[in-house]
Amino acid sequence: MQKKPRGLALVTVLMATGLLAMLSASLVVLTRSNFVSGEQFRRRQVLLNTCYSGLDYARARLSQRMDWGIGPMSASLNAPQLTATESGSDVNSNLVEATMVATRGRFTVRMLNNLQGLGEQNPPVWCRSRVKIPPRCALVAVDGDYEGVRRRIEVLLTRRSVLSNSIVAGKDLAIMVPPTTTSNALEFKSIVPRGNSARAKGQIYLPKTNQLQFVPQGQAQSAGEISIDSQLSFDASGNLVGASGTGLSSNPAALASASTALSATLQTNSNVGNAKFKPDKLAVPGGATATLAPGEYRFTQPDSVLHFDTSGNPVAAYINGQLAGVTLKDYQFMPRGNVTVNGDLTISGNITAMRYVPPPATNPTGFGTITGGQPQPFRASLGLGYDADGLPVGANARNRFTVNGDLEVHGDLVGSGQLFVKSSGTSGGNIKVEGNSFLSATRTDGMAVVSDRHTVFSEVPGGSYQAPFAMVKSDFDAFGLAIMTTRPTDTNSINVFNNFTAASKPALQAMATNLLAQQLMDRTSYRQIVKDMLATTDSNWPPAGGATLGGAPMDNLPFDYVDSGGTHSTVTAMQGIANYLSDMGPGNVTLEEHLRIREFIKSVDQGTFKFEHISPFLPGTASQPVPYNTPAIYNSLQAIAVNQVGAYYQDARIKGQTLINYMSWPNPYDELARRDFTFGGILYSGQNIFTKLASSFRLVGSMISDQGTIGFDNVVNGTILFDPNACEDQFDWAMLGLGPIFFWTP
């Protein structure tokens, strides 16, 4: 009889038990592993949030104070969610130590604040990413610690902007070019990617495709139609009263062809949103507000005005220093600080075209005379952001000029700061400016202009007297030599050259002092420059009685010259220049000496005869000589140098070049042909923005119409360069904040 197997069930049970034990152990290990992984993920997430909290802390503090972390730090915070302590004496020792109350996570923050800097900064010793810090940026390093796990992040922060493109029209965008123009009459450019665009919530009217160009590739976006070959007519306020052209929305082939020719993506019937910028984004300047009487302020001399009330009645005459809160200098009307005008305001100017009377025929080499002529209209300027010497107050020194009425400037706008022109009921809120810079060394750069209604830039009347307002053509070579000589040796000046609009007043003054001392050329060679400047005055002096000022008048005008020993001698104006060059001793002519001679020649051209610029001692002081180099004169020369470098800097930006590269090129200026309007900043209007100029128009910044049309009539040589940094110092940082442009973690 065969025996049955025994113990099989036991073996099976044991095997099953072992298998179950193995599965249970695996399940326990897997569960434990998942628990550990989940816990590690939670710790990493809490740690990352802790680091971000440190970054947010730094961003908030920098938005509150843009100089935070530059000097010693000593502060503490004890809030329900966070406790923090700030300590240190410099960039390498400054430290924020903080604890998150809810999670007990901890972080430390170090920073290098270059938000107000002009040049690039090397990474500090504690920086592990070794990234360099560009100007107007801040490097923030955060070390986080949570339950023994650590992490570091390093971030570059820069200012955010509410400006996204060059033109935003609340209604139509209309560009009219003279029919005889065969080349690009208007160019759209941008310094940032995707910023080269124009948007309109109505229709867009463009000229022929060979008359306009987007450089590089751009975009035109319309909520309605886009037309080319447009024929337009405007009224005086910039309203379209007639418009025709070839629509593109219903012709895909024509739309594609126009897009290619213009180097732009054309979008019709698109959803065009509102502009991000609103005037409430601008910072409200602190300090007291002065009040200026309304009416017309008419320059009668470079440094004096006659005030008329709103009915046209003369009220008072003022020379510089007598009109409270306003500097009057070289036909510039410059309110200082925060000033309000309750009523309409007009800024205008007259110049008396002096008549030269030659010496009698019996003494042809004797002294001639100058007699007064009839006043003629002369371009004046409304200048913002200048001190009593005409020197720019520098970045971040905000001020606001408010006109509760209409503003009319028989000239142009210059400087930086904020200009508000407000309406009341159905009146006020309009701006009218005649745009003629004519080699002006004072430009609008960094200005925010806000009008409740229309803003119009019109042509200078044909009868207005023309003269070199500040610069002359030969200045380009003189300043070029001074800048190139300064460039290898002076770090502050280099930083100003690279980022002029961000420079503080002390940095601008130091740069000017350095430039004024630079030697240009030997005194014999320099005499040709003097001849060039005299030719300039010949070209612009009005032919009164068949004579011009510059040649014979300079040779025959009497000049009471006082040499370095205090001795008087009556010489001609031309001989006075020669004596000045000799009295300055050996060595090359400096930029300061060049500007003194130029200002003297210009003063003769304007009939004001500022002999003190080239006389070693002031006339009439032989017994007690007074040095010519008074602080007031030197300060004015500093202001001239700063403003002129700023003008060259702006022209370089328009050309897409650095100032150093621009000044190394051949002289681009033409004394007689360059009559153009240059604006740098934000133009914001509640209604229309209208430009009608017979010459060049240049915008560096952004142009925004809330509900009206942006129109260009008779454009022959225009450039619109989108630059979101052109006015950023006028914004409220707390409202805009800072955004990252670089992120690093090991």
Side-chain angles (χ1 to χ4, degrees):
M1 181 177 176
Q2 186 177 3
K3 294 182 179 181
K4 294 182 177 181
R6 295 180 181 272
L8 182 58
L10 179 60
V11 173
T12 303
V13 169
L14 291 175
M15 291 177 63
T17 302
L19 179 60
L20 289 174
M22 293 174 60
L23 290 174
S24 298
S26 299
L27 182 61
V28 169
V29 170
L30 182 61
T31 302
R32 183 180 180 88
S33 176
N34 287 340
F35 176 79
V36 171
S37 297
E39 183 65 15
Q40 289 177 340
F41 175 78
R42 183 188 68 83
R43 289 178 179 175
R44 287 196 297 267
Q45 196 63 38
V46 172
L47 177 60
L48 182 60
N49 291 336
T50 300
C51 291
Y52 285 155
S53 296
L55 179 61
D56 289 341
Y57 179 93
R59 184 155 42 190
R61 294 289 280 134
L62 288 167
S63 296
Q64 293 170 352
R65 283 183 49 197
M66 57 184 163
D67 62 346
W68 181 67
I70 293 178
M73 297 197 331
S74 178
S76 61
L77 173 68
N78 191 5
Q81 298 85 14
L82 179 73
T83 61
T85 301
E86 300 177 5
S87 62
S89 59
D90 55 33
V91 65
N92 287 320
S93 62
N94 284 343
L95 185 69
V96 177
E97 297 177 290
T99 300
M100 308 292 295
V101 174
T103 64
R104 307 311 299 171
R106 296 176 298 168
F107 64 78
T108 61
V109 177
R110 299 181 186 273
M111 84 296 302
L112 192 156
N113 185 348
N114 198 29
L115 289 169
Q116 294 177 285
L118 300 179
E120 186 178 69
Q121 296 284 330
N122 290 320
V125 293
W126 45 260
C127 175
R128 292 165 59 184
S129 65
R130 310 314 299 164
V131 64
K132 293 188 176 182
I133 302 87
R136 302 200 170 198
C137 292
L139 173 65
V140 176
V142 181
D143 288 296
D145 186 334
Y146 178 69
E147 295 185 357
V149 183
R150 294 179 176 84
R151 183 170 185 174
R152 163 173 279 224
I153 61 172
E154 294 185 5
V155 181
L156 277 179
L157 299 175
T158 191
R159 307 179 189 185
R160 287 194 174 119
S161 177
V162 293
L163 303 176
S164 56
N165 50 311
S166 55
I167 285 183
V168 181
K171 193 176 179 182
D172 299 328
L173 169 61
I175 302 172
M176 181 67 181
V177 173
T180 56
T181 303
T182 58
S183 59
N184 289 338
L186 183 63
E187 283 189 339
F188 285 82
K189 298 180 179 181
S190 175
I191 69 167
V192 297
R194 298 185 299 277
N196 194 18
S197 65
R199 297 189 290 137
K201 301 188 74 174
Q203 301 191 53
I204 294 180
Y205 298 94
L206 302 178
K208 296 179 180 180
T209 55
N210 67 331
Q211 296 174 331
L212 185 145
Q213 191 74 29
F214 287 77
V215 183
Q217 180 76 23
Q219 180 189 56
Q221 185 181 26
S222 170
E225 179 67 274
I226 296 180
S227 300
I228 58 174
D229 298 336
S230 302
Q231 299 298 314
L232 310 171
S233 57
F234 302 86
D235 65 14
S237 298
N239 294 302
L240 271 174
V241 295
S244 63
T246 303
L248 301 176
S249 61
S250 59
N251 190 336
L255 181 66
S257 176
S259 296
T260 300
L262 296 172
S263 188
T265 301
L266 304 182
Q267 297 180 347
T268 62
N269 302 314
S270 300
N271 182 19
V272 178
N274 295 323
K276 295 180 181 179
F277 170 80
K278 296 294 181 183
D280 61 3
K281 295 291 195 302
L282 296 172
V284 179
T289 299
T291 301
L292 182 69
E296 179 181 356
Y297 291 84
R298 183 185 301 164
F299 280 91
T300 55
Q301 292 289 331
D303 302 339
S304 61
V305 296
L306 183 61
H307 177 214
F308 299 83
D309 63 20
T310 53
S311 299
N313 301 312
V315 177
Y318 300 97
I319 63 173
N320 188 34
Q322 293 181 344
L323 187 56
V326 178
T327 298
L328 307 171
K329 190 177 182 66
D330 285 337
Y331 289 94
Q332 295 186 45
F333 190 91
M334 297 181 280
R336 301 190 304 273
N338 302 321
V339 179
T340 296
V341 179
N342 294 312
D344 296 342
L345 176 67
T346 299
I347 307 297
S348 64
N350 277 344
I351 189 170
T352 301
M354 310 300 289
R355 183 176 183 273
Y356 170 64
V357 180
T362 56
N363 185 19
T365 60
F367 295 114
T369 58
I370 289 289
T371 62
Q374 292 298 317
Q376 300 182 34
F378 187 67
R379 183 184 64 84
S381 297
L382 172 61
L384 303 182
Y386 296 97
D387 66 10
D389 295 312
L391 186 73
V393 294
N396 305 312
R398 305 182 182 104
N399 55 72
R400 180 177 291 185
F401 185 56
T402 304
V403 178
N404 294 312
D406 289 329
L407 171 65
E408 188 168 338
V409 182
H410 296 179
D412 59 9
L413 300 175
V414 299
S416 61
Q418 301 175 19
L419 172 62
F420 276 67
V421 180
K422 299 182 177 181
S423 62
S424 177
T426 59
S427 63
N430 298 295
I431 300 176
K432 183 178 179 180
V433 177
E434 296 168 354
N436 176 19
S437 65
F438 205 85
L439 277 177
S440 174
T442 44
R443 305 286 186 78
T444 307
D445 203 355
M447 184 182 288
V449 175
V450 177
S451 69
D452 283 354
R453 287 199 171 91
H454 303 307
T455 299
V456 176
F457 297 102
S458 62
E459 298 173 0
V460 174
S464 289
Y465 173 77
Q466 302 297 324
F469 188 77
M471 297 168 18
V472 294
K473 180 177 180 179
S474 58
D475 286 343
F476 181 84
D477 300 312
F479 272 83
L481 285 170
I483 287 173
M484 293 305 174
T485 305
T486 299
R487 181 170 59 96
T489 58
D490 183 65
T491 302
N492 173 77
S493 295
I494 295 172
N495 290 337
V496 173
F497 298 156
N498 290 333
N499 205 351
F500 182 89
T501 55
S504 64
K505 180 179 175 180
L508 294 173
Q509 287 178 300
M511 178 272 296
T513 299
N514 195 310
L515 281 185
L516 291 174
Q518 297 303 317
Q519 296 186 2
L520 306 180
M521 63 187 69
D522 66 82
R523 299 182 184 277
T524 301
S525 301
Y526 180 73
R527 293 179 185 273
Q528 182 59 48
I529 301 294
V530 175
K531 292 179 181 179
D532 291 342
M533 288 191 286
L534 293 176
T536 297
T537 57
D538 276 345
S539 300
N540 291 283
W541 184 259
T548 60
L549 188 62
M554 290 294 293
D555 288 332
N556 294 100
L557 278 177
F559 179 11
D560 183 13
Y561 187 83
V562 187
D563 64 22
S564 55
T567 301
H568 286 255
S569 58
T570 301
V571 299
T572 65
M574 181 63 77
Q575 186 60 44
I577 295 176
N579 288 356
Y580 171 70
L581 289 172
S582 299
D583 271 352
M584 291 302 97
N588 293 341
V589 174
T590 65
L591 183 63
E592 177 185 346
E593 293 168 353
H594 165 72
L595 292 180
R596 286 180 178 277
I597 293 172
R598 186 198 74 183
E599 289 302 292
F600 170 66
I601 294 175
K602 189 179 74 175
S603 75
V604 175
D605 190 32
Q606 295 179 349
T608 53
F609 313 116
K610 296 182 179 179
F611 298 121
E612 64 269 19
H613 279 291
I614 64 169
S615 180
F617 289 90
L618 299 183
T621 57
S623 59
Q624 291 182 331
V626 178
Y628 76 102
N629 195 15
T630 62
I633 295 177
Y634 187 79
N635 290 345
S636 70
L637 294 174
Q638 274 192 330
I640 290 169
V642 168
N643 288 322
Q644 200 146 337
V645 171
Y648 292 138
Y649 175 82
Q650 189 179 60
D651 287 345
R653 285 158 60 202
I654 293 171
K655 294 292 186 181
Q657 300 175 9
T658 66
L659 176 66
I660 301 297
N661 290 338
Y662 182 74
M663 300 305 291
S664 65
W665 281 70
N667 194 329
Y669 297 101
D670 186 330
E671 226 84 56
L672 301 179
R674 190 174 183 272
R675 296 177 53 193
D676 50 38
F677 182 80
T678 301
F679 181 91
I682 299 173
L683 278 174
Y684 178 92
S685 183
Q687 296 296 326
N688 299 335
I689 300 177
F690 181 46
T691 301
K692 183 175 182 178
L693 300 171
S695 53
S696 301
F697 172 84
R698 295 185 177 98
L699 170 75
V700 182
S702 188
M703 183 182 291
I704 302 167
S705 166
D706 187 39
Q707 300 179 35
T709 293
I710 295 180
F712 300 89
D713 192 12
N714 200 45
V715 177
V716 293
N717 183 16
T719 301
I720 298 177
L721 173 65
F722 175 59
D723 183 354
N725 303 323
C727 199
E728 65 177 8
D729 290 318
Q730 303 302 329
F731 287 110
D732 187 338
W733 279 30
M735 297 182 66
L736 300 184
L738 302 167
I741 59 171
F742 170 83
F743 184 93
W744 177 89
T745 186

